[in-house]
Amino acid sequence: MDIAFVLYPNMTALDLVGPYDVLSPGPDVTAHLVAATPDPVLAGSAMRLVPTTTFDELDHADVIVVPGGEPYDVLADGAVAAWLRKVHPTATWTTSVCTGSTLLASAGVLEGKRATTHWALRDLLASLGAEVSTDRVVRDGSVLTAAGVSAGIDMALTLAGILWGDTVAQGIQLAIEYDPEPPYDSGSVEKAAPEVVDFVRGVIASGFSADKDEAATA
């Protein structure tokens, strides 16, 4: 089973690493880190991830995992969307984490489908043709989408159960000791205090504004 984990600049590392650690040890899995070029991809401010193949070289995958991040430049560039349009029709499962769903939508994968994303980008996802859900993990046909960042682990465990059965999926959950007990109860926009929501919304908006400014001057 070939699983393609998509890399692109300014992606969020945990969006990829969480599902990677859940899915890559699965039975008969060959994991591919696929990007536009063979050059290392910067995730965040310092982490560099090295692709194992490129969009030109990999034209099929049984499972596709698209992480989120700051997707404005990637949406404008269109390289990820172009590759998804090529490989999605023959994939068994196409998945995303966080804002990765906006990249699926830009490729036409989510047209008329229910999907989720990071809470701050729901309007953007809706504008791209998806039927936006607030659920943490959404399955619509062969497409699985996860809400923000940490929800990628939930999505990957859901997919592991579909692929290999509940015992294997529960075993993976135990192996990675995924039994969260967070010190705060502010992990969703519905639970967080208004001032916390405003703070995070401002940080995200300023990041996307910077992306747009850079794209406009490129």
Side-chain angles (χ1 to χ4, degrees), residues 9-209:
N10 296 318
M11 55 172 284
T12 300
L14 183 57
D15 286 13
L16 179 135
V17 174
Y20 182 90
D21 277 350
V22 171
L23 297 171
S24 63
D28 301 317
V29 166
T30 300
H32 305 272
L33 302 181
V34 58
T37 74
D39 299 325
V41 173
L42 186 64
S45 61
M47 183 177 291
R48 285 173 170 79
L49 302 173
V50 180
T52 60
T53 187
T54 67
F55 293 148
D56 289 337
E57 295 168 340
L58 189 68
D59 60 4
H60 171 77
D62 299 293
V63 177
I64 302 163
V65 180
V66 182
E70 298 179 10
Y72 184 82
D73 287 347
V74 184
L75 285 167
D77 175 75
V80 173
W83 182 76
L84 288 169
R85 281 191 287 270
K86 179 172 67 175
V87 297
H88 166 68
T90 59
T92 305
W93 295 97
T94 298
T95 75
S96 69
V97 182
C98 196
T99 59
S101 56
T102 64
L103 298 173
L104 296 189
S106 69
V109 173
L110 299 183
E111 189 66 36
K113 287 186 177 292
R114 291 179 66 250
T116 190
T117 191
H118 190 283
W119 58 266
L121 275 294
R122 289 170 183 167
D123 288 345
L124 174 59
L125 183 60
S127 74
L128 294 170
E131 180 185 332
V132 178
S133 169
T134 60
D135 291 346
R136 189 164 171 83
V137 177
V138 174
R139 175 182 177 182
D140 191 330
S142 64
V143 178
L144 278 170
T145 55
V149 192
S150 64
I153 297 175
D154 298 58
M155 180 278 293
L157 286 169
T158 300
L159 182 57
I162 295 170
L163 293 173
W164 305 305
D166 292 342
T167 299
V168 170
Q170 291 175 37
I172 293 170
Q173 180 181 5
L174 177 59
I176 65 173
E177 202 167 349
Y178 182 53
D179 189 22
E181 296 181 3
Y184 302 104
D185 191 22
S186 59
S188 73
V189 68
E190 292 80 13
K191 295 179 179 178
E195 63 270 21
V196 175
V197 174
D198 290 343
F199 169 72
V200 174
R201 197 185 298 277
V203 170
I204 292 172
S206 64
F208 282 1
S209 295

Side-chain angles (χ1 to χ4, degrees), residues 72-73 207-217:
Y72 184 82
D73 287 347
F208 282 1
S209 295
D211 285 347
K212 292 178 182 179
D213 292 342
E214 289 175 7
T217 57

